């Protein structure tokens, strides 16, 4: 663990607020991890160490939560996160083609990040919009009834 690592005053303040407002330590852990990830992009070992001290939970418990929860990244990711839905309805509507297309276009495989750190590609389970399959999410935005043409346009718009 890097001894010079420090959370910012703002981060500590937000984490303490979260700690106060959630009785459940698992829920507050996830929120605290999100606070740090929001600024830093991912959660390092040093972040785990620092957060665990504030929340007063063991590092290994926090590590386990961070690893289990797919929204928390444990290594550096791209500026934009693409999640394509691979659940059953999207599967029937060609999400495999979308996956192959994205892999080829971005020159990465699932779970990887482009060299320029512009995109990370991940699968996700049902996004709750099965009637508009196939569906992908880029960062916080969901896109429906995808075509390959639409995907090309979308990729262009995320820098
Ligand atoms: Fe893809 Fe439901 S299966 S949104």
């Amino acid at each position: 663990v890097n001894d010079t690592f420090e959370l910012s005053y703002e981060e500590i303040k937000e984490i303490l607020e979260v700690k106060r407002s959630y009785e459940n330590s698992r829920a507050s852990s996830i929120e605290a991890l999100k606070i740090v990830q929001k600024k830093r992009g991912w959660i390092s070992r040093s972040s785990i160490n620092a957060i665990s001290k504030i929340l007063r939970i063991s590092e290994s418990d926090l590590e386990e939560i961070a690893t289990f929860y797919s929204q928390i990244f444990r290594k550096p990711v791209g500026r934009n996160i693409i999640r394509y839905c691979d659940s059953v309805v999207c599967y029937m509507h060609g999400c495999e083609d979308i996956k192959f297309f994205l892999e080829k276009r971005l020159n990465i495989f699932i779970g990887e990040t482009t060299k320029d750190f512009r995109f990370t590609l991940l699968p996700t389970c049902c996004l709750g919009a099965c009637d508009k399959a196939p569906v992908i999410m880029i960062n916080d935005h969901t896109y429906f009834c995808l075509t390959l043409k639409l995907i090309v346009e979308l990729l262009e718009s995320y820098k």
Side-chain angles (χ1 to χ4, degrees):
V1 174
N2 177 0
D3 284 329
T4 59
F5 180 88
E6 275 180 20
L7 294 175
S8 70
Y9 171 75
E10 275 305 310
E11 285 170 316
I12 295 171
K13 197 171 137 237
E14 280 186 56
I15 293 170
L16 286 172
E17 273 164 24
V18 150
K19 188 184 176 201
R20 270 196 295 273
S21 58
Y22 287 88
E23 293 201 356
N24 173 316
S25 75
R26 193 176 177 88
S28 58
S29 301
I30 293 169
E31 288 310 310
L33 289 163
K34 283 188 187 166
I35 288 166
V36 176
Q37 179 167 282
K38 192 172 64 195
K39 302 228 172 62
R40 298 166 191 263
W42 65 293
I43 296 294
S44 65
R45 272 309 297 272
S46 308
S47 299
I48 294 271
N49 176 274
I51 299 167
S52 74
K53 283 185 186 142
I54 301 175
L55 293 180
R56 293 178 191 277
I57 71 168
S58 80
E59 245 183 277
S60 61
D61 281 352
L62 189 59
E63 183 83 52
E64 197 178 297
I65 292 167
T67 309
F68 175 80
Y69 194 59
S70 71
Q71 307 277 337
I72 300 298
F73 303 118
R74 297 310 315 281
K75 54 183 183 193
V77 287
R79 293 188 293 284
N80 304 294
I81 311 293
I82 305 176
R83 297 175 189 273
Y84 77 96
C85 170
D86 64 355
S87 290
V88 63
V89 180
C90 285
Y91 185 83
M92 291 188 312
H93 284 82
C95 78
E96 285 284 286
D97 294 342
I98 288 174
K99 180 190 100 168
F100 286 131
F101 182 77
L102 284 167
E103 284 182 329
K104 250 187 114 176
R105 186 104 192 165
L106 301 175
N107 202 18
I108 52 173
F109 290 113
I110 295 300
E112 294 181 346
T113 297
T114 55
K115 278 206 183 73
D116 59 1
F117 280 90
R118 190 165 161 202
F119 293 108
T120 297
L121 182 58
L122 296 170
T124 178
C125 53
C126 182
L127 291 166
C130 315
D131 56 329
K132 298 182 200 114
V135 181
I136 66 169
M137 214 174 155
I138 305 182
N139 303 334
D140 294 332
H141 235 88
T142 312
Y143 298 98
F144 311 104
C145 306
L146 282 163
T147 59
L148 300 185
K149 185 170 173 282
L150 181 56
I151 289 176
V152 173
E153 287 168 18
L154 284 175
L155 293 181
E156 286 301 309
S157 69
Y158 284 87
K159 297 301 172 192

